[in-house]
Amino acid sequence: MFLENTVNHKEQFGWIEVICGSMFSGKTEELIRRLKRAQFAKQKVEIFKPAIDTRYDHEMVVSHNKNEIRSSPVPSAATIRILAQGCDVVGIDEAQFFDDEIVSVCNDLANAGIRVIIAGLDMDFKGNPFGPMPALMATAEYVTKVHAVCTRTGNLAHYSFRKNDNDKLVMLGETEEYEPLSRAAYYNAMRENMEVKDAKHLSIEE
């Protein structure tokens, strides 16, 4: 459950919020919602995303529902530390694509009194923890895990299944390349993929 700090207003402090889950789970939508609330409260807000994320727009952070907010694309986590000075709230989208320095950057910002809101995939397409996300989740005050709906069973989904044979860890894509699956559906899909690959290997050997 997400609760905003409201207890001791005299203490000057920041904190870290992480919004995580699979693809199509509403991570960016929730990030934008929190950031727009802060903007409405006339807080100084800066939003960052990795420069490699150009799926919808080069500068805007855009959710799958086409909700959007202006951001600054940055090549590395270190750049955020420089550009975030003087902010009240910092938003970071697609955090899994940043280098490991993003962890110290976010903690330094929080220690300086800034509210840091991060959204990212917690697992890659192989079902493994993704990049710096585990460390961000461990050091955050608040972690919100959101879920998609499994396209095969209708159950809650928290796996991002890649539908093609590309084995690169980082591959930007949408519904053409990925689908959200439940645990059972994901492992069935992975088993089917392995069976197809084994069959192709045997046919080549023959």
Side-chain angles (χ1 to χ4, degrees):
M1 182 178 179
F2 171 71
L3 296 172
E4 290 167 296
N5 279 297
T6 56
V7 181
N8 188 343
H9 297 285
K10 294 181 180 180
E11 184 182 20
Q12 295 299 309
F13 69 107
W15 64 88
I16 299 173
E17 305 163 23
V18 171
I19 306 161
C20 63
S22 69
M23 294 190 68
F24 315 112
S25 60
K27 301 181 303 299
T28 301
E29 191 77 17
E30 176 62 14
L31 174 69
I32 293 173
R33 185 189 72 83
R34 295 185 193 181
L35 293 171
K36 286 190 173 180
R37 285 183 70 208
Q39 288 180 334
F40 183 76
K42 294 183 170 40
Q43 294 178 320
K44 186 176 180 183
V45 178
E46 289 289 345
I47 305 101
F48 303 96
K49 70 173 184 174
I52 62 169
D53 182 16
T54 58
R55 286 171 298 172
Y56 289 119
D57 192 277
H58 286 279
E59 292 187 356
M60 306 294 283
V61 166
V62 184
S63 72
H64 296 299
N65 290 336
K66 308 304 180 186
N67 196 4
E68 61 184 27
I69 192 168
R70 185 164 297 282
S71 70
S72 298
V74 292
S76 66
T79 310
I80 297 175
R81 183 185 275 111
I82 299 168
L83 298 179
Q85 299 302 314
C87 294
D88 299 309
V89 181
V90 167
I92 301 171
D93 195 30
E94 303 293 353
Q96 75 279 354
F97 291 144
F98 280 106
D99 52 278
D100 288 341
E101 191 177 353
I102 191 70
V103 181
S104 62
V105 167
C106 289
N107 278 280
D108 287 347
L109 294 178
N111 292 342
I114 297 172
R115 176 187 178 191
V116 184
I117 313 173
I118 305 159
L121 290 167
D122 50 3
M123 291 190 293
D124 61 26
F125 75 101
K126 294 181 179 180
N128 297 319
F130 206 152
M133 288 299 291
L136 289 168
M137 293 164 69
T139 55
E141 277 83 351
Y142 305 106
V143 177
T144 303
K145 183 151 185 171
V146 289
H147 296 82
V149 176
C150 178
T151 56
R152 304 190 185 188
T153 67
N155 293 328
L156 288 180
H158 65 289
Y159 286 88
S160 302
F161 178 68
R162 186 178 291 177
K163 296 188 283 186
N164 58 47
D165 292 331
N166 190 325
D167 204 42
K168 290 175 60 178
L169 180 60
V170 177
M171 191 191 85
L172 298 175
E174 294 302 319
T175 53
E176 295 80 10
E177 291 83 19
Y178 294 94
E179 62 178 315
L181 297 181
S182 65
R183 181 182 294 275
Y186 174 80
Y187 279 100
N188 286 335
M190 293 295 284
R191 187 181 67 249
E192 290 169 5
N193 276 2
M194 288 300 298
E195 290 172 353
V196 169
K197 288 180 180 178
D198 289 344
K200 287 181 179 179
H201 185 68
L202 286 173
S203 64
I204 291 172
E205 289 183 343
E206 293 172 356

